[in-house]
Amino acid sequence: MAEKENDGRASNEQDQASHPQEIPVYKTQDREFRERHTSSEAEEFRVPTEYATPMKRLWAWVGVVYAVGYALLMTYAFANGEFPQGIGQLLTAPALAGLGGSVILRYREGKGRGGLPICVALSGVSFALALWNLALGLPALLRQL
């Protein structure tokens, strides 16, 4: 029986050697294509780069702030055995700041409704609430350190 298994394995190896699987190669990765065509022709086949909109960048930075904040909170919890209490206001501040920034960006893009007075009012309220929540949350956090 051991001979049959070895024979089966040998035939599989021979089949794989005689029928190698072709790996798809994109035109810009193919050496022969690059040698035959000039760089301007090769540029036609490249996928254009899409940059993030300012709104996506803003919310990505808000996400970075939350990621760093949660990493610090988990570090504190592992070191002390419990999470800090009374810091809910501190966790809402980045979202409120992002909301105020979103209002400004929408107005600058021409998508904001209500004009400049509404933009100033909404962003001002959002930033004021963010600062208020920071003022309430930071002392609560610092008392527990």
Side-chain angles (χ1 to χ4, degrees):
M1 224 180 198
E3 293 176 8
K4 290 182 182 178
E5 288 179 16
N6 288 338
D7 292 337
R9 289 181 189 161
S11 64
N12 284 339
E13 290 173 3
Q14 290 173 355
D15 289 340
Q16 289 176 356
S18 62
H19 298 69
Q21 294 179 348
E22 291 186 21
I23 299 172
V25 177
Y26 296 104
K27 289 185 177 180
T28 55
Q29 295 173 337
D30 186 13
R31 183 185 303 170
E32 293 174 10
F33 176 81
R34 285 184 290 182
E35 290 172 358
R36 285 186 308 222
H37 295 83
T38 63
S39 62
S40 62
E41 291 174 337
E43 290 290 328
E44 294 175 13
F45 295 103
R46 290 192 182 179
V47 177
T49 303
E50 287 187 34
Y51 296 102
T53 63
M55 188 72 72
K56 288 180 183 178
R57 290 179 190 171
L58 172 75
W59 286 105
W61 279 109
V62 170
V64 168
V65 170
Y66 273 114
V68 170
Y70 283 129
L72 292 173
L73 284 175
M74 292 304 294
T75 303
Y76 179 87
F78 289 145
N80 296 324
E82 65 181 6
F83 285 101
Q85 303 296 315
I87 60 165
Q89 297 91 355
L90 192 63
L91 296 176
T92 60
L96 287 168
L99 179 64
S102 293
V103 170
I104 293 171
L105 287 175
R106 283 184 59 85
Y107 175 74
R108 289 186 66 192
E109 292 173 354
K111 296 178 183 176
R113 296 183 180 167
L116 184 61
I118 299 297
C119 172
V120 170
L122 285 176
S123 61
V125 167
S126 294
F127 291 135
L129 286 173
L131 289 173
W132 177 257
N133 284 328
L134 279 175
L136 293 176
L138 282 176
L141 178 66
L142 293 175
R143 276 193 301 264
Q144 299 174 46
L145 294 180

